[in-house]
Amino acid sequence: MGRRWIMMALAGAGVAAVAGAVLFLPGEQGSQAAGAVPRVPAQGDPLTGEEVARASGIASAASQAHMTAGRVQLLYVERDDDKDTDERRRADAFLYDYATDQLIVRTVDLGRGEVVEEAVTRGVQPPPSKAEEVGAAELLLADPQYGRGVRESYAKAAGTQLRSASDLGLRGLIFVPGAEGGAHRCQTHRCVRLFVRLPGNTWLDTSRIIVDLSAKQIYTLEW
């Protein structure tokens, strides 16, 4: 399992964009640059976009039915840093099963094209993925009380109606219940405290709202 909780999909996509860019130079130099063979990534290099996509597909294959049903979601793919016995490229794919509240980490050997290790744990909550932040916002918008308030606040700030949760600026943090009242199920469920930014760089007051992604429910903290 990797030691860092990093969303390497974005970093990998950035590397892929740079590696795939063609620098057009005048004359023969430009022709040579266009025909250059891409460099094979070294062991310590970040994952490329192609590697992230391959690792995602390989790691998700065994859970495809549950992912389609929304029970399991792929959170992140990052380079595996724990395997230093050889020079093979490996990636760790982090998936979460909301029905069992288990974190699944599958290590993919990119050279062999297969999962070579799997770890399943409970009580481990990596930061929310971007997809989870959008999913939490969709649950918030579906709530009769909070959804109406978010839409009204957005329309006031933007001068137009909210089309979808993706229009909102979102930042999510994992919620672990402490002395606050309510949201006791978050001791085992995957729960998110969602921060919502509106156009004009204004923020909604969502400090008391907790989104339970496991139960698909909204909780209001009491204090």
Side-chain angles (χ1 to χ4, degrees), residues 20-25 28-38:
V22 177
L23 178 62
F24 291 98
L25 301 176
E28 184 178 355
Q29 289 181 340
S31 176
Q32 292 175 346
V37 178

Side-chain angles (χ1 to χ4, degrees), residues 27-175:
E28 184 178 355
Q29 289 181 340
S31 176
Q32 292 175 346
V37 178
R39 183 178 68 85
V40 177
Q43 175 70 1
D45 289 346
L47 296 176
T48 66
E50 188 272 339
E51 287 178 318
V52 169
R54 286 185 59 231
S56 299
I58 294 168
S60 301
S63 302
Q64 198 58 55
H66 288 323
M67 294 179 70
T68 301
R71 166 178 165 170
V72 174
Q73 186 165 150
L74 175 67
L75 304 182
Y76 310 103
V77 174
E78 66 177 34
R79 189 186 68 202
D80 180 65
D81 290 333
D82 293 341
K83 310 296 188 297
D84 55 1
T85 57
D86 53 46
E87 296 183 355
R88 287 183 294 183
R89 298 273 286 176
R90 293 183 171 92
D92 287 332
F94 297 81
L95 302 94
Y96 197 86
D97 188 327
Y98 300 107
T100 61
D101 282 297
Q102 293 177 318
L103 177 67
I104 306 167
V105 183
R106 291 177 179 149
T107 300
V108 177
D109 186 314
L110 292 166
R112 293 161 56 181
E114 63 183 20
V115 175
V116 294
E117 184 178 338
E118 177 177 296
V120 180
T121 58
R122 291 179 182 270
V124 178
Q125 297 285 355
S129 66
K130 291 299 180 184
E132 286 184 310
E133 290 175 346
V134 173
E138 289 174 344
L139 289 172
L140 187 65
L141 290 173
D143 182 87
Q145 176 184 355
Y146 291 123
R148 182 176 64 252
V150 173
R151 289 186 175 87
E152 290 175 352
S153 297
Y154 182 91
K156 183 178 180 180
T160 185
Q161 297 299 313
L162 178 67
R163 295 171 300 177
S164 70
S166 299
D167 291 337
L168 300 169
L170 302 172
R171 178 72 172 91
L173 296 176
I174 289 297
F175 173 76

Side-chain angles (χ1 to χ4, degrees), residues 5 64 84 159 188 210 215:
W5 301 108
Q64 198 58 55
D84 55 1
T188 55
I210 303 300

